[in-house]
Amino acid sequence: MLNYEIMRLIDTIKIKNAVEKMCIEACCKISFDVIGCYDAALADESSPMGEEVLRQLIENAKIASTENIPACQDTGMSVVFADIGEEVSFTGMSITKAINDGIRDGYEKGFLRKSIVKHPLDRVNTGDNTPAVIYYDLLKGNKVKLTVMPKGFGSENMSALCMLKPSDGEKGIIDFVIDTIDKAGPNACPPLFVGIGLGGTADKAMLLAKRALLRKPGDRSSKKIDAKLERILINKANELGIGPAGLGGNTTVFDIFIESYPTHIAGLPVAVNISCHSLRHREIII
Ligand code: SF4
């Protein structure tokens, strides 16, 4: 049972202001971790064309950060993870309105492209990049963790789900993931970061794959079985030779992250959520 005397009150204007700031920062300032991947790949890349693309990515990230302009024209659909402590109560507008207001103001003030249409068929732009795709999670404690991920669609469009048979096992997972990356080719703007969701239901697997993209580059899964599979997939994906911008080379992926969850005895869901080289997200704890 909740003890209302210990509930922490948060004014949702703080949420709105934080989201606004994170939208601009995520789009304009590629994180040091990600730039570190560009640098490391440049040192290893064997193809001259691949090297040139990586050099351009490094230069582009520098210019975007210095001039506070988006690193890519596709400033994405806003995906927001709101992890809310059970001892938090909100005052002011609803949290969903606060998040969407933050996105609207962030995209306006940051001169970020508005890319959202009202309906998948009528294609009329909403004009302010809302609504966001928001996932709420309840956790212990009295804090709110907000993560804003502007998700580009060149890579989102190449994402995929497969409901494998349990007997397909590790080989089935590897074949599906590598085939998905191969089909993405240059369209997903490689080198890629790839999130994999294993288990749960079809929808849970897709969400796990999206959440996997929040991991820090270079961090392997804490589950041995998943960490081993991540290493296998990274090596196999880089053997595809797609390379930076799809022009050939040995850097097709910067990293692959797996998040897994229990599943049904009759199924083996595998989801692949692809991010381009502009892996962008910001988080704040309030
Ligand atoms: S997929 Fe990424 S790099 Fe490609 S256009 Fe979209 S945001 Fe830009």
Side-chain angles (χ1 to χ4, degrees):
M1 189 162 17
L2 292 178
N3 178 353
Y4 287 97
E5 284 177 11
I6 62 160
M7 295 297 276
R8 176 171 166 236
L9 209 57
I10 297 180
D11 190 331
T12 47
I13 193 73
K14 280 192 186 157
I15 307 269
K16 184 242 158 216
N17 291 339
V19 169
E20 176 186 317
K21 196 164 166 242
M22 287 191 286
C23 287
I24 300 171
E25 272 193 13
C27 288
C28 300
K29 300 199 184 298
I30 299 291
S31 73
F32 292 125
D33 296 341
V34 172
I35 294 174
C37 292
Y38 301 172
D39 289 332
L42 179 58
D44 265 4
E45 181 53 63
S46 56
S47 133
M49 197 67 102
E51 281 182 355
E52 182 51 30
V53 172
L54 290 163
R55 265 193 288 274
Q56 286 183 15
L57 289 183
I58 294 165
E59 179 71 5
N60 181 62
K62 255 188 221 153
I63 295 170
S65 177
T66 312
E67 300 191 13
N68 219 27
I69 52 176
C72 181
Q73 44 74 34
D74 178 0
T75 48
M77 182 161 202
S78 306
V79 179
V80 178
F81 295 95
D83 299 332
I84 300 172
E86 287 171 342
E87 292 162 23
V88 170
S89 181
F90 295 107
T91 175
M93 65 191 122
S94 79
I95 181 164
T96 301
K97 177 165 171 26
I99 290 170
N100 280 313
D101 282 4
I103 285 159
R104 183 199 64 215
D105 290 357
Y107 274 69
E108 192 59 34
K109 290 180 190 170
F111 303 101
L112 310 177
R113 193 184 81 186
K114 289 107 180 171
S115 310
I116 307 307
V117 293
K118 283 184 186 150
H119 188 281
L121 289 178
D122 73 14
R123 315 304 297 179
V124 177
N125 199 300
T126 62
D128 59 9
N129 218 60
T130 70
V133 173
I134 309 173
Y135 297 104
Y136 293 103
D137 243 335
L138 267 188
L139 305 176
K140 281 202 176 307
N142 65 358
K143 302 238 183 329
V144 173
K145 181 173 161 194
L146 288 171
T147 309
V148 173
M149 174 196 272
K151 188 67 180 70
F153 257 55
S155 52
E156 189 71 6
N157 281 338
M158 307 316 291
S159 301
L161 169 75
C162 186
M163 302 302 281
L164 291 172
K165 295 191 294 298
S167 57
D168 292 327
E170 184 179 284
K171 182 175 183 312
I173 296 169
I174 294 170
D175 288 350
F176 172 65
V177 172
I178 298 302
D179 185 52
T180 303
I181 295 170
D182 196 21
K183 279 184 186 144
N187 295 342
C189 303
L192 311 172
F193 293 91
V194 183
I196 311 284
L198 288 185
T201 50
D203 50 321
K204 177 72 178 178
M206 286 308 299
L207 183 53
L208 287 169
K210 181 76 83 210
R211 276 230 183 229
L213 288 175
L214 300 180
R215 292 240 305 272
K216 212 166 132 66
D219 273 3
R220 296 279 58 83
S221 168
S222 55
K223 296 177 191 169
K224 261 191 185 167
I225 188 169
D226 293 346
K228 181 180 154 240
L229 189 51
E230 285 172 351
R231 288 193 190 92
I232 293 171
L233 288 168
I234 291 166
N235 288 335
K236 284 199 177 289
N238 282 330
E239 282 166 11
L240 289 170
I242 295 168
L247 297 172
N250 51 299
T251 320
T252 296
V253 299
F254 287 128
D255 213 337
I256 296 184
F257 314 101
I258 297 176
E259 292 294 324
S260 59
Y261 194 79
T263 192
H264 192 279
I265 51 171
L268 176 46
V270 186
V272 180
N273 193 224
I274 299 184
S275 168
C276 58
H277 49 72
S278 291
L279 181 70
R280 302 171 289 197
H281 50 83
R282 283 292 185 279
E283 66 175 45
I284 190 173
I285 296 176
I286 295 173

